[in-house]
Amino acid sequence: MLIVLIIGLTGLTFMAWFLIRSPKLRKIAGTLTLFLLACCIGGLSANLADHWGMRLRTTVQTTHQIYSAGPATIPNNLLIVRRLGTRAQNYVLIYRTTATQSQPQPHLVPDRKQLATATKKRATFRRQAVSRPSVTTTRREWVFKSAFYARLLAFDHNNHQLISERTTVTVPLSWRVLTTQEAHRVCR
């Protein structure tokens, strides 16, 4: 809507300065429309640069439904990890989401089609003294403060703009964490 206001006020400013014959009315109308146009452009710039009209929202979601990646013949529960890159602490984690699932599936694989979003996501693991394994996802994003700002600034789909997403798989100390190469050796 702000874009439409800027276009409309641009036309009104032009008409006020060039089409109104009375000098006094021309100055009042031209100055007023120019001021409103400057306010709209300032609001648009503030939104693009400093997220004016938006607030930072952090959501934490925890699930407790993960199962071992290893076959039933192995007594220990397994979490299989594959490190992405050489320096980043970012992993693809392999586990089952149901007890009856036949093969473990890779989870938290970056989307290569959306690299800008993929670089904001991180996945890691840790072994801790807990009773059940869990997956905790912390998501930080920009959302509009109110419906007014949403209507005013909703262009380019900038609501729920991702800042970062951190996923941590926490497994009990009884679980073994193996790399993909180690898992191939163990499961043979």
Side-chain angles (χ1 to χ4, degrees), residues 162-182:
L162 182 65
I163 297 169
S164 67
E165 185 175 285
R166 304 286 183 253
T167 302
T168 304
V169 174
T170 305
V171 294
L173 295 174
S174 62
W175 281 50
R176 291 195 55 200
V177 178
L178 302 175
T179 64
T180 52
Q181 294 83 11
E182 292 170 339

Side-chain angles (χ1 to χ4, degrees), residues 103-177:
Q103 293 293 320
Q105 299 295 316
H107 297 275
L108 310 164
V109 179
D111 185 2
R112 292 184 182 195
K113 294 179 182 175
Q114 296 183 358
L115 289 178
T117 303
T119 59
K120 297 176 183 180
K121 295 182 177 184
R122 293 276 181 261
T124 188
F125 67 93
R126 66 176 169 209
R127 294 178 69 215
Q128 202 170 352
V130 294
S131 60
R132 293 187 302 176
S134 65
V135 179
T136 304
T137 302
T138 305
R139 182 180 175 94
R140 296 178 63 218
E141 60 188 355
W142 289 108
V143 295
F144 289 119
K145 289 180 180 177
S146 67
F148 169 75
Y149 287 114
R151 278 192 298 273
L152 187 64
L153 300 167
F155 59 91
D156 196 28
H157 309 289
N158 56 350
N159 197 19
H160 299 283
Q161 184 179 3
L162 182 65
I163 297 169
S164 67
E165 185 175 285
R166 304 286 183 253
T167 302
T168 304
V169 174
T170 305
V171 294
L173 295 174
S174 62
W175 281 50
R176 291 195 55 200
V177 178

Side-chain angles (χ1 to χ4, degrees), residues 66-71 76-79 94-96 104 175:
I66 72 166
Y67 299 91
S68 174
N76 285 356
N77 291 320
L78 298 178
L79 174 67
I94 303 169
Y95 54 86
R96 288 183 174 90
W175 281 50

Side-chain angles (χ1 to χ4, degrees), residues 52-108:
W52 172 73
M54 302 183 95
R55 66 180 172 86
L56 182 67
R57 182 172 73 181
T58 302
T59 56
V60 178
Q61 179 184 5
T62 302
T63 59
H64 293 283
Q65 300 297 325
I66 72 166
Y67 299 91
S68 174
T73 57
I74 295 178
N76 285 356
N77 291 320
L78 298 178
L79 174 67
I80 302 173
V81 298
R82 172 104 190 243
R83 189 175 190 164
L84 298 175
T86 56
R87 300 167 104 190
Q89 292 295 317
N90 196 13
Y91 296 88
V92 171
L93 303 167
I94 303 169
Y95 54 86
R96 288 183 174 90
T97 54
T98 63
T100 59
Q101 190 175 0
S102 62
Q103 293 293 320
Q105 299 295 316
H107 297 275
L108 310 164

